[in-house]
Amino acid sequence: MAELQEVQITEEKPLLPGQTPEAAKEAELAARILLDQGQTHSVETPYGSVTFTVYGTPKPKRPAILTYHDVGLNYKSCFQPLFQFGDMQEIIQNFVRVHVDAPGMEEGAPVFPLGYQYPSLDQLADMIPCILQYLNFSTVIGVGVGAGAYILSRYALNHPDTVEGLVLINIDPNAKGWMDWAAHKLTGLTSSVSEMILGHLFSQEELSRNSELIQKYRNIITHAPNLENIELYWNSYNNRRDLNFERGGDITLKCPVMLVVGDQAPHEDAVVECNSKLDPTQTSFLKMADSGGQPQLTQAS
């Protein structure tokens, strides 16, 4: 029998009958992400490398869901319970998801060298266009928690035409005042970084009850191999600028916004204040009873 020879065929990717170049590009991207489902990518930006994970395939004329996590967490520990919830399956089937990990927060991330200048929250927001350009996505619906909610808000202020909606959990749009700054410094003298971050994520009542969820997240943060990186993200959050939202003013979110906070959560007052500063015709406010500091973990329903 004659020996089979491997022949390499180069194809010019001809268009299907009646197919436009734009449709062909969309089909190619869909195929690429389908093969890549749940795969992690990294892109270089002016402020360093950023890692993100894509699930699902793009649907024509539908935005991607883009998530950004809070301090002390990564995309899995912040959002996995939410997207595994039964009622979310319809959304998962109909939208491609892009989960961004802040630099140095991805699983297995090496610790940054001593003296590394971690990006500000504004610079983290400026990395997002590089991600969308890489994926060839034109619009997103943003879902952010805490620091991630601030980052997505800053991105939406800078690129309003690319954001079709925002879900902002535990957002604090204000810079720290002098009293907050002093209290933070004094707390740092007596508390570890991990304890301060836990106090940012959960209410004091939750921490006192020390439920299974709290024990799990205390263990994740306290024993994180990249705790030095987490502290850098934490410092950037505490040095954030004021978003300067003003109802009826020039600086506001142009897209529909859902603000979410747990009843008695650490950021309840900040979210209430944020709601008072945004356009009431575009903003809905959801205060979730008995859901604690992280409603997307405790009450995914």
Side-chain angles (χ1 to χ4, degrees), residues 131-146:
I131 297 171
L132 299 188
Q133 187 178 5
Y134 176 88
L135 293 170
N136 194 32
F137 290 171
S138 53
T139 61
V140 298
I141 295 170
V143 182
V145 181

Side-chain angles (χ1 to χ4, degrees), residues 84-278:
Q84 284 176 345
F85 184 73
D87 285 1
M88 291 294 288
Q89 297 316 300
E90 190 176 346
I91 291 174
I92 286 171
Q93 288 162 14
N94 287 291
F95 292 89
V96 62
R97 286 176 290 142
V98 181
H99 296 291
V100 182
D101 277 321
M105 305 304 130
E106 67 275 12
E107 288 183 348
V111 173
F112 289 121
L114 198 62
Y116 175 79
Q117 185 64 48
Y118 197 80
S120 67
L121 294 198
D122 290 9
Q123 290 170 336
L124 292 174
D126 286 341
M127 292 178 165
I128 294 173
C130 300
I131 297 171
L132 299 188
Q133 187 178 5
Y134 176 88
L135 293 170
N136 194 32
F137 290 171
S138 53
T139 61
V140 298
I141 295 170
V143 182
V145 181
Y150 178 103
I151 290 164
L152 292 180
S153 296
R154 177 65 73 190
Y155 171 75
L157 289 175
N158 294 340
H159 304 274
D161 294 343
T162 68
V163 182
E164 295 197 22
L166 288 170
V167 178
L168 304 174
I169 302 169
N170 297 340
I171 185 169
D172 188 341
N174 303 316
K176 274 189 176 294
W178 284 110
M179 291 301 291
D180 295 324
W181 180 84
H184 175 70
K185 290 294 180 188
L186 289 170
T187 306
L189 297 175
T190 56
S191 302
S192 65
V193 171
S194 54
E195 286 301 320
M196 285 196 290
I197 291 172
L198 284 164
H200 160 78
L201 295 173
F202 300 101
S203 69
Q204 287 307 310
E205 186 185 343
E206 287 175 286
L207 293 171
S208 299
R209 281 206 309 267
N210 202 28
S211 65
E212 197 175 312
L213 179 80
I214 298 298
Q215 289 175 40
K216 175 186 172 184
Y217 279 83
R218 178 177 272 122
N219 188 55
I220 286 172
I221 295 166
T222 305
H223 298 108
N226 62 336
L227 188 56
E228 291 96 331
N229 296 357
I230 293 172
E231 185 174 0
L232 294 175
Y233 186 21
W234 174 236
N235 291 339
S236 285
Y237 177 68
N238 287 306
N239 289 316
R240 66 191 178 277
R241 295 191 302 139
D242 201 310
L243 286 171
N244 290 317
F245 289 148
E246 187 183 350
R247 179 170 286 185
D250 293 333
I251 302 175
T252 191
L253 297 170
K254 312 282 194 216
C255 63
V257 179
M258 174 178 275
L259 299 174
V260 182
V261 71
D263 199 14
Q264 307 299 316
H267 305 286
E268 183 181 353
D269 290 345
V271 178
V272 169
E273 184 184 344
C274 183
N275 184 51
S276 73
K277 292 180 175 181
L278 294 176

Side-chain angles (χ1 to χ4, degrees), residues 13 19 21-35:
K13 294 185 183 170
Q19 190 178 36
E22 290 77 15
K25 193 172 184 183
E26 280 186 359
E28 184 186 339
L29 183 65
R32 191 170 99 204
I33 292 180
L34 183 62
L35 292 170

